[in-house]
Amino acid sequence: MHALALVAGILVTALMTASTAQAATFVYVSNAEDGTIGMYTLGTDGTLQPGPRVDAGKPVMPMSVSPDKQFLFAAIRSKPFTVVSYSIDRSTGALKQLSTGPLADSLPYIQIDRTGQHLLGASYGAHLVSVNAIGKDGKVSEPSQVIPTARNAHSIITDRTNRYAFVPHLGTDQIFQFRFDSKTGKLTANTPPLVQMKAMSGPRHIVMSPDNKFAFLLNELVATVTTLSLDAATGLLTEVSSASALPADTKLVPGAPRGGPGQRDVSNDIWASDLHVTPDGKFLYAAERTSSSIGAFSVDVATGKLTYLSSTPTEKQPRGFRIDPKGRYMVVSGEKSDTISVYEIDRASGALNPLQKYPTGKGSNWVEIVAFE
């Protein structure tokens, strides 16, 4: 009897050890100026353990992870425009380069669709969206579809059903609406094909609410977040409300599209960058680069209405950040900072509690977090 209990105990311990080994969370940060991707292990207490950096190419910027967490993809925004595929080691988080594939142009935003078989991209400079097929080995094929859209296509996402895609355009203040066929990887214009937003607002990034009822749109030039309702039957968006990610006493002024001739003084311009919603859908955060801050909102999950809560100082010129899948921690990068910051998210109030800073590469901009349970 004692022997049986001992064997059972050993088996339980072994199983617990195996599951603990698998339960790890990894953070990846692309460093544009270094041309590297940094890897960190995120502890259950919010600490980061820096790991090795892998070479990618300059400037490496947007990244996306396959739904099965097997692969990480990173886009290089210099000629020849390429995407680099890496395998992710489930136990160590280590990245191993597998292949490179051609992209249609310089893409500031990529997303792997929910089947893991298609890479969607938006090009700010070439005013287009594109689709590349992804093989089971993680290899990315040549673009299968390239669609000219409108000025400054800034990002592209699918909704949570993978049937619809949305593309904010900073230059024309529009969101393009597509139907997406995940079997063929084809995008087709929905009817109507776009939603017109407020002039000179600068639609940039867009995320879906966890229940897929709402889309939240970050407007780069004014740092507002617009809530749009999603019609599940048609895939069409309708504007609901809007709120500012900046405090009422901000001294910043509305910005203008960047990169044109005769650049003016932009030192006091609003320049919003990224937004994410917590997994429970209760809080949303938006980064603003000029003030180097993260604005926090509470979300009314029934109506999608946002209420501004507070603004937290962060890394200099924050380009990208990410919330871990359990909604406990946020990792923020700054393009002009040599560190990244970790914050604990108060589950009741949404407040950000700064925990610690960690070294990073030059021009840090994109953050991905991968959790293995």
Side-chain angles (χ1 to χ4, degrees):
M1 193 71 182
H2 290 298
L4 281 172
L6 182 63
V7 169
I10 291 170
L11 282 170
V12 168
T13 304
L15 285 168
M16 286 176 66
T17 305
S19 66
T20 304
Q22 288 297 311
T25 301
F26 305 107
V27 177
Y28 302 96
V29 180
S30 62
N31 306 305
E33 292 175 35
D34 285 348
T36 62
I37 298 170
M39 187 276 286
Y40 306 78
T41 303
L42 177 64
T44 55
D45 58 355
T47 56
L48 283 185
Q49 183 65 44
R53 293 180 195 170
V54 296
D55 289 328
K58 298 180 185 179
V60 56
M61 295 184 81
M63 299 188 293
S64 188
V65 175
S66 61
D68 62 8
K69 306 174 191 175
Q70 268 194 275
F71 307 112
L72 180 141
F73 301 87
I76 313 301
R77 297 190 63 191
S78 60
K79 291 182 178 180
F81 305 114
T82 55
V83 59
V84 187
S85 306
Y86 300 89
S87 62
I88 301 173
D89 187 298
R90 292 180 67 91
S91 56
T92 66
L95 297 178
K96 179 185 176 184
Q97 184 171 329
L98 299 175
S99 60
T100 60
L103 294 175
D105 211 283
S106 171
L107 304 182
Y109 200 105
I110 59 172
Q111 186 183 45
I112 309 307
D113 87 308
R114 294 175 188 278
T115 68
Q117 296 172 16
H118 310 286
L119 181 148
L120 311 179
S123 177
Y124 184 91
H127 323 299
L128 58 80
V129 294
S130 60
V131 184
N132 295 63
I134 302 171
K136 289 184 179 175
D137 57 359
K139 188 175 172 111
V140 178
S141 303
E142 296 207 2
S144 55
Q145 189 178 25
V146 178
I147 305 172
T149 51
R151 203 161 67 250
N152 308 138
H154 216 315
S155 61
I156 183 168
I157 66 163
T158 60
D159 81 315
R160 295 184 186 276
T161 70
N162 212 40
R163 292 161 53 211
Y164 309 112
F166 304 106
V167 184
H169 286 71
L170 185 143
T172 55
D173 303 303
Q174 295 166 332
I175 306 171
F176 274 49
Q177 307 182 115
F178 292 96
R179 291 181 174 274
F180 179 62
D181 185 334
S182 61
K183 288 189 176 138
T184 63
K186 282 280 164 56
L187 292 165
T188 53
N190 210 334
T191 308
L194 58 86
V195 183
Q196 186 66 50
M197 306 306 295
K198 190 176 176 183
M200 292 300 291
S201 57
R204 177 184 170 89
H205 283 185
I206 187 168
V207 296
M208 301 304 302
S209 63
D211 62 8
N212 208 48
K213 289 181 180 177
F214 302 100
F216 301 110
L217 171 72
L218 179 65
N219 299 296
E220 177 178 319
L221 307 181
V222 291
T224 58
V225 180
T226 303
T227 300
L228 302 105
S229 62
L230 172 64
D231 185 318
T234 63
L236 300 176
L237 298 175
T238 303
E239 185 172 349
V240 174
S241 57
S242 198
S244 175
L246 293 171
D249 61 356
T250 181
K251 300 296 189 290
L252 299 183
V253 298
R258 302 192 177 206
Q263 191 63 272
R264 61 189 185 82
D265 177 18
V266 295
S267 58
N268 208 38
D269 277 12
I270 293 173
W271 198 25
S273 58
D274 199 12
L275 84 165
H276 293 285
V277 64
T278 53
D280 62 9
K282 291 181 179 177
F283 300 104
L284 183 141
Y285 303 88
E288 199 287 316
R289 285 171 283 189
T290 303
S291 61
S292 296
S293 65
I294 303 276
F297 302 89
S298 63
V299 183
D300 184 323
V301 294
T303 65
K305 183 178 164 67
L306 302 175
T307 302
Y308 172 81
L309 298 174
S310 61
S311 190
T312 302
T314 193
E315 299 291 345
K316 190 164 174 139
Q317 201 166 298
R319 172 67 183 255
F321 69 95
R322 192 70 61 164
I323 297 165
D324 86 286
K326 290 188 175 174
R328 296 178 61 192
Y329 303 110
M330 178 190 292
V331 180
V332 186
S333 73
E335 288 178 294
K336 293 189 173 179
S337 176
D338 57 5
T339 57
I340 55 174
S341 285
V342 181
Y343 300 85
E344 185 175 23
I345 300 172
D346 187 299
R347 306 295 276 276
S349 70
L352 297 178
N353 172 39
L355 295 181
Q356 202 167 331
K357 293 175 179 280
Y358 298 87
T360 189
K362 289 185 179 174
S364 297
N365 61 92
W366 201 278
V367 182
E368 290 286 344
I369 300 180
V370 179
F372 294 103
E373 299 302 327

